[in-house]
């Protein structure tokens, strides 16, 4: 950046999602403490890393040294900057404003709306743009840093009709503050974080360490004379009420709960372990089937061998020498109908039939039923 820059505000263009606009703030000669006003708007092209100063039509000269405000930009490329303060050339005189300045980045035209006295002058506030087009302004201060705006008095600006309105937030009482931050949640609540207060001399009096991510951290960043708190404050913009407690939504659907953490590292490890276990089970099933088939084949071979030996046995005739060559009498495998089989062969054939039946049963069973 060609100059030193403080107390400004920035917006990202929704048109190209690459151009950053710096609005307001105080500019200095680079690397010095010498104040030098050059421009109220700077453009930064994140694709080329180039800074430029746009030529703005109808620029409001009173905005030239405005700082300590927050800008928001809508989907049409209009930047809305409310209020702010001006330190003056003497760096002592401070003036606070309540006007609305609008810069259309597509036409580079500036417009200013002067508000009635009912709209509070404001600086060091938070500005949150809602999907409805309303800008919600919370907290902040006037010309005197000790003069805080009441935080429960929420100012709203309709970007569509350019009309102001005020809502008074009920609910929990929280301390007014300036220099805090705010975010909009997906369910339509605004959560504020931090902030501080100052005494009449401009010295830091209190620092708030309220955090906006449902985690409480201790206070930090102030002198020993400061007071710290670490509460969470949520503005319900449907009822415009401050709340400090909330209920986390729960579900009884265990299937959905499992799916919601499906991308977590723990679930990924669990899925990997389950896959490994399934692969191991399949391997064991395959080994078991293979071993069973081998055992059955061996058993059939042994049975067949005994059948073969028994069918080729010779029947010796009484009185005939053992070594004489005689006609072998083979047991026939075909028997006359009605004559029962010899007991030995009946048992062997029955065993062979049972083994064949077992092979057929094992072959037809699904794999997962074997274990």
């Amino acid at each position: 950046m060609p100059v030193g820059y403080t107390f400004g505000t920035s917006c990202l263009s929704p048109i190209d999602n690459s151009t950053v606009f710096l609005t307001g703030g105080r500019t200095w000669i680079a690397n010095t403490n010498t104040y030098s006003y050059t421009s109220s708007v700077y453009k930064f092209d994140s694709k080329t890393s180039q800074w430029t100063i746009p030529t703005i039509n109808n620029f409001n000269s009173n905005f030239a040294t405005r700082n300590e405000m927050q800008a928001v930009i809508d989907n049409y490329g209009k930047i809305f900057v409310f209020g702010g303060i001006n330190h003056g050339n003497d760096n002592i005189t401070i003036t606070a404003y309540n006007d609305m300045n609008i810069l259309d980045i597509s036409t580079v035209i500036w417009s200013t709306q002067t508000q009635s006295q009912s709209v509070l002058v404001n600086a060091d506030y938070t500005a949150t743009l809602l999907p409805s087009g309303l800008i919600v302004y919370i907290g902040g201060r006037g010309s005197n840093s000790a003069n805080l705006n009441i935080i429960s008095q929420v100012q709203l600006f309709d970007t569509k009709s350019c009309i102001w309105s005020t809502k008074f937030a009920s609910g929990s009482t929280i301390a007014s503050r300036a220099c805090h931050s705010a975010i909009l949640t997906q369910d339509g609540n605004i959560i504020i974080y931090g902030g501080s207060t100052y005494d009449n001399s401009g010295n830091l009096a209190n620092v708030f360490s309220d955090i906006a991510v449902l985690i409480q951290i201790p206070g930090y960043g102030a002198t020993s004379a400061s007071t710290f708190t670490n509460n969470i404050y949520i503005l319900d913009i449907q009822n415009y009420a401050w709340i400090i407690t909330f209920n986390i939504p729960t579900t009884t659907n265990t299937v959905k709960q499992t799916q919601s953490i499906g991308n977590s590292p723990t679930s990924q490890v669990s899925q990997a372990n389950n896959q490994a276990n399934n692969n191991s089970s399949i391997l064991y099933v395959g080994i078991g089937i293979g071993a069973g088939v081998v055992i059955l084949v061996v058993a059939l071979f042994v049975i067949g061998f005994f059948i073969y030996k028994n069918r080729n046995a010779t029947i010796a005739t009484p009185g005939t020498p053992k070594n004489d060559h005689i006609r072998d009498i083979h047991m026939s495998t075909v028997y006359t109908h009605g004559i029962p089989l010899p007991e030995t062969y009946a048992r062997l054939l029955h065993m062979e039939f049972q083994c064949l039946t077992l092979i057929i049963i094992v072959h037809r069973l699904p794999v997962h039923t074997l274990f």
Side-chain angles (χ1 to χ4, degrees), residues 31-74:
N31 302 318
T32 70
N33 293 326
T34 305
Y35 174 74
S36 175
Y37 172 77
T38 53
S39 177
S40 293
V41 180
Y42 285 89
K43 287 175 58 177
F44 177 74
D45 189 335
S46 61
K47 295 181 179 179
T48 62
S49 298
Q50 296 295 319
W51 288 95
T52 57
I53 299 176
T55 301
I56 300 174
N57 299 317
N58 200 30
F59 178 71
N60 177 16
S61 59
N62 288 331
F63 192 84
T65 56
R66 200 79 60 88
N67 54 86
E68 298 184 45
M69 64 280 187
Q70 183 176 349
V72 297
I73 189 169
D74 65 11

Side-chain angles (χ1 to χ4, degrees), residues 133-147:
L134 289 177
I135 304 176
V136 181
Y137 293 94
I138 300 175
R141 65 181 181 88
S143 298
N144 189 333
S145 58
N147 184 20

